[in-house]
DNA sequence: ATGATTCGTAAGACAGCACTAACGGTTAGC
DNA sequence: GCTAACCGTTAGTGCTGTCTTACGAATCAT
């Protein structure tokens, strides 16, 4: 699996995105994260596993607590991918025009 | 639903991402898209519906054919979101340091 | 050493999503 | 007007992912 795929799929889930937003603003423990979302603590732990596999977060053991903090390693490929899409789509869009529903002249071009 | 959420969720699916890649490279009809993926034509039509609701593609009726082309409207919010994540994560990462497994000094800070 | 706290993991139930098959609508061509 | 081609939609099915409960491991405090 390409690197930006896992990041894309990880951030697609709303709960997981909320957790990542919390970790992004400030490093937090699992219990602190679970207190700020509607799901249980094991669910948060599973989401953190997905985020960590996607290289979006890392964790550091602080005694019995696992403190999670963001990691740019997984976000960088996603950022590059979106940027490449952005450039190509702008070019393709400018070449095609911006009208959509109108079916004025029907020329066959294939 | 915020705009970048739908784009994120739409691009998370591999088949949908393949379809979007094809549309990005060149405007294509539904049958042409279906010929380049492993799923059936109705499945492609459904995926195009999701992509269109996310403002990632548009379509133009060319006789009986529906030609789909990319749309920057849905991609722009996603790009801005990823960029904002990138900036904040870089800052947070620099402030936290880059070590992970090491549990050297355990101070209680809460 | 013992008890308490924090966390990860396994197992099972449940919901959501993607897919196929069948149908109906619209347009081009004869 | 009639046939064929292209497409969207709906109903039904299978599967992947998420959630909760229960359990075990690791660490700090007493």
């Amino acid at each position: 699996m390409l690197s930006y795929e896992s990041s894309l799929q990880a951030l697609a889930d709303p709960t997981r995105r909320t957790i990542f937003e919390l970790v992004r603003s400030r490093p937090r423990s699992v219990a602190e994260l679970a207190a700020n979302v509607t799901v249980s603590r094991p669910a948060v732990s599973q989401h953190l596993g997905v985020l960590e596999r996607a290289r979006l977060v890392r964790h550091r053991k602080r005694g019995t607590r696992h403190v999670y903090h963001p990691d740019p390693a997984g976000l960088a490929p996603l950022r590059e991918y979106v940027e490449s899409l952005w450039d190509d789509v702008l070019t393709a869009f400018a070449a095609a025009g911006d009208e959509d529903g109108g079916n004025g002249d029907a020329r066959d071009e294939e």
Side-chain angles (χ1 to χ4, degrees), chain A:
Chain A
M1 175 150 59
L2 281 73
S3 48
Y4 68 85
E5 294 189 18
S6 55
S7 302
L8 211 50
Q9 200 157 2
L11 292 177
D13 182 75
T15 303
R16 214 146 44 205
R17 195 165 48 240
T18 301
I19 293 174
F20 180 70
E21 300 279 352
L22 290 170
V23 172
R24 171 177 71 125
S25 64
R26 178 184 302 272
R28 302 179 194 249
S29 66
V30 179
E32 186 180 358
L33 291 170
N36 285 276
V37 294
T38 62
V39 299
S40 67
R41 183 191 57 76
V44 173
S45 193
Q46 290 179 346
H47 283 306
L48 286 171
V50 175
L51 290 172
E52 192 160 27
R53 258 189 299 278
R55 304 285 185 182
L56 288 170
V57 299
R58 283 187 181 181
H59 77 277
R60 191 180 316 183
K61 303 175 76 169
R62 215 68 166 187
T64 65
R65 298 183 183 177
H66 295 203
V67 179
Y68 283 80
H69 59 90
D71 181 3
L75 203 57
L78 176 60
R79 176 174 175 266
E80 295 178 6
Y81 176 66
V82 172
E83 285 298 319
S84 70
L85 286 184
W86 178 251
D87 295 339
D88 292 358
V89 166
L90 273 192
T91 305
F93 188 75
D98 52 5
E99 55 181 338
D100 55 345
N103 54 352
D105 53 343
R107 285 191 60 243
D108 208 356
E109 43 185 10
E110 188 185 3

